[in-house]
Amino acid sequence: MKSLTQSKSIVSACVALLVIGSQAMAQEKMPNIIYILADDMGYGDVQILNPERGKIATPHMDQVAKDGMIFTDAHTTSSVCTPTRYGIITGRYNWRTWKQEHVLDGYDLPLIPTTRMTVPSFLSDNGYNTAMIGKWHLGLEISTIDGKPAKPAAGIKQKMGKGAFPPAELSNIDWKGTIQGGPVDLGFDSWFGITASLDFPPYVWIRDRNWVGEGTYVKAFRRPGPATEEFEAIDVLDELVAETVQYISGYKSDKPFFIYMPLPSPHTPIVPSKKWQGKSGIGRYGDFMMQTDDIVGQVVRALEEKGISENTMLIVTSDNGCSKAANFKQLEDHGHFASAQYRGSKADLWEGGHRVPFLVKWPKVIKAGSVSDVLTCQTDMLATCAEMLGKELPVNAGEDSESILPIFTGKPTEFSRKGIINHSVSGHFAYRQGKWKLLLAKGSAGWTAPTEKALAKVDDAPEAQLYDLEADPGEQNNLYLKNPEVVEQLMALLKEDIGNGRSTSGPKQENDIPADQIKLWKGNVAK
């Protein structure tokens, strides 16, 4: 006869096995996640989203949309690069930090402190392997030989095309030193990529915390900077997709994986590889978009060949609207409108600046051919992952993040967030709730005419804009002066979201800078 102690031990062992078993079952159900972030890809650049005025063939993105769900009203937090990426990674608006306008460069210090929860750190803490493959553009702590902030040497442009130089003659970067404060310090197990856009030096690959080579040559894909002899912008997309496909095909862990794949395309420099040159028939931008689409196709094919497509959540989106560098006149002469029916483009507060493609394929969960018109924001990734894993976020994480998981299965969604906030390159604000959109700017607040600078000289121009996007998706009929009660309501919500340090329900949080330093009326007297 077994003793009481033995019986207790057996029961404890059984309970432990049950716990382990349930954990294994939960882990088995957790999907792999791949987040592909194109750079400067407009809403109208994906043909399935712009069938009448889109002339660039994007068969692979179209297929992702057909096999999954199209979000027709998905937005970036900002109409430019760095701030959008901050929002995706942290679930928090960028303007809550010290970065109130524009973007970082390739030498700048980190924007995200290592103490802040991120999508990769959350997933890593909950059973995922995490990898980043691509462009960072959120700042790095770069070791230098003189202990000063990293920067190129004076007169570096004059050294272009003149062969190799001692590294110290081109920058103060310690190429054998370690890089801190980047992806692998914010939750990613590994990183292969570049510091920022392909026109921001240094032009040297990074693996984890280390440079792959030394910047002994000077190259310029717009801005001159140190580069390795082998680094060429035209090769970068092929290198990144090869790394991603290898990661997928060689994956052996029982854990699910998260791959964040921020591409440097179709951003400048617009450098389609030889295989894609001339393919679109409408210019180099069209060719580069087709190559970007092919990257998506290669990732999808890798998942299918590995046999893991069914339970992989694949997201394809963009960091902001299309850039004017795409040559809109040339594209439009061929019948292609990169912002589709929307006004504006990259950098602007108008819809073309921040309404972007957002396609989600997850065959195990999402019904093929689904469409959602729910207003969403790219900050929603963190809360979505938390709900998917049955976890609650800490009160000081994902302050502007809502879960879109119910949308995947067509369930009704009630956000605690009352609206979303958009930000332009110059730091101007917009607030959207339902059909109403308030822009605290006279013009585009970006690069499209009329700009704020031009309208500053026009005395009778309304100080702001209000649009009914249901009746006027092209933002042509400014109702700011006709609907003061709507303006007042949206202004109050915007001020509340800023002052509370969060736009979702929960305890009040602090912004990184005092709320009174966040200027609602950029360039005007604070109101």
Side-chain angles (χ1 to χ4, degrees), residues 80-158:
V80 285
C81 175
T82 294
T84 284
R85 290 158 201 271
Y86 178 90
I88 292 170
I89 294 292
T90 67
R92 184 178 187 241
Y93 288 127
N94 60 281
W95 44 262
R96 298 195 188 281
T97 74
W98 55 266
K99 191 63 179 170
Q100 296 290 298
E101 58 185 31
H102 301 295
V103 302
L104 299 180
D105 68 24
Y107 301 100
D108 278 333
L109 291 170
L111 184 58
I112 306 174
T114 55
T115 52
R116 174 159 285 277
M117 177 180 280
T118 63
V119 171
S121 70
F122 172 80
L123 290 173
S124 180
D125 289 344
N126 285 280
Y128 274 75
N129 289 323
T130 57
M132 178 181 159
I133 302 168
K135 160 188 167 174
W136 182 232
H137 215 156
L138 283 165
L140 299 166
E141 227 175 280
I142 298 173
S143 296
T144 57
I145 55 179
D146 58 6
K148 297 179 180 178
K151 62 180 181 180
I156 191 171
K157 187 175 181 179
Q158 283 66 48

Side-chain angles (χ1 to χ4, degrees), residues 397-408:
E399 293 94 329
D400 302 301
S401 188
E402 294 275 13
S403 174
I404 62 172
L405 190 66
I407 300 174
F408 294 164

Side-chain angles (χ1 to χ4, degrees), residues 7-20:
S7 297
K8 286 182 177 179
S9 297
I10 292 170
V11 170
S12 297
C14 290
V15 170
L17 287 171
L18 285 170
V19 170
I20 293 169

Side-chain angles (χ1 to χ4, degrees), residues 268-469:
T268 53
I270 299 172
V271 283
S273 64
K274 187 174 182 181
K275 175 183 175 182
W276 294 98
Q277 291 170 14
K279 289 283 187 180
S280 70
I282 66 171
R284 292 177 68 82
Y285 180 79
D287 301 342
F288 210 26
M289 256 305 303
M290 289 185 70
Q291 184 176 359
T292 303
D293 177 70
D294 185 68
I295 298 297
V296 174
Q298 291 186 56
V299 172
V300 169
R301 187 162 56 250
L303 292 171
E304 291 171 347
E305 291 176 354
K306 187 70 172 177
I308 57 175
S309 179
E310 181 72 12
N311 197 28
T312 295
M313 183 200 302
L314 173 64
I315 296 172
V316 180
T317 185
S318 178
D319 66 342
N320 45 248
C322 183
S323 169
K324 295 187 187 307
N327 192 338
F328 288 164
K329 183 179 186 307
Q330 180 185 53
L331 293 174
E332 290 170 11
D333 284 347
H334 286 89
H336 181 79
F337 291 78
S339 298
Q341 67 269 40
Y342 300 111
R343 188 180 185 184
S345 54
K346 176 181 179 177
D348 300 340
L349 269 188
W350 292 322
E351 292 292 282
H354 50 79
R355 188 188 292 235
V356 292
F358 198 87
L359 315 173
V360 186
K361 176 186 175 184
W362 185 6
K364 187 175 180 179
V365 172
I366 297 175
K367 182 181 178 182
S370 301
V371 178
S372 172
D373 298 327
V374 176
L375 175 64
T376 61
C377 184
Q378 287 180 348
T379 52
D380 294 337
M381 187 64 185
L382 183 53
T384 301
C385 290
E387 183 176 2
M388 182 179 69
L389 299 180
K391 304 288 184 179
E392 286 193 15
L393 293 175
V395 295
N396 62 345
E399 293 94 329
D400 302 301
S401 188
E402 294 275 13
S403 174
I404 62 172
L405 190 66
I407 300 174
F408 294 164
T409 54
K411 294 177 182 176
T413 305
E414 291 187 10
F415 293 154
S416 63
R417 182 178 62 203
K418 297 181 179 68
I420 65 167
I421 299 170
N422 298 112
H423 214 221
S424 76
V425 63
S426 53
H428 287 77
F429 280 91
Y431 194 89
R432 169 82 183 281
Q433 184 186 50
K435 69 177 185 177
W436 292 110
K437 179 181 175 186
L438 174 67
L439 297 79
L440 302 186
K442 291 185 174 184
S444 71
W447 300 336
T448 300
T451 63
E452 301 313 293
K453 183 177 180 180
L455 288 175
K457 303 171 184 176
V458 181
D459 294 335
D460 61 349
E463 63 182 357
Q465 301 164 72
L466 177 71
Y467 297 106
D468 175 350
L469 292 182

Side-chain angles (χ1 to χ4, degrees), residues 178-211:
T178 56
I179 298 165
Q180 303 293 330
V184 291
D185 291 313
L186 290 165
F188 288 106
D189 300 324
S190 62
W191 173 35
F192 177 70
I194 52 179
T195 61
S197 304
L198 278 173
D199 51 9
F200 279 106
Y203 306 118
V204 180
W205 287 106
I206 298 171
R207 190 172 289 281
D208 301 333
R209 292 188 179 91
N210 303 300
W211 299 101

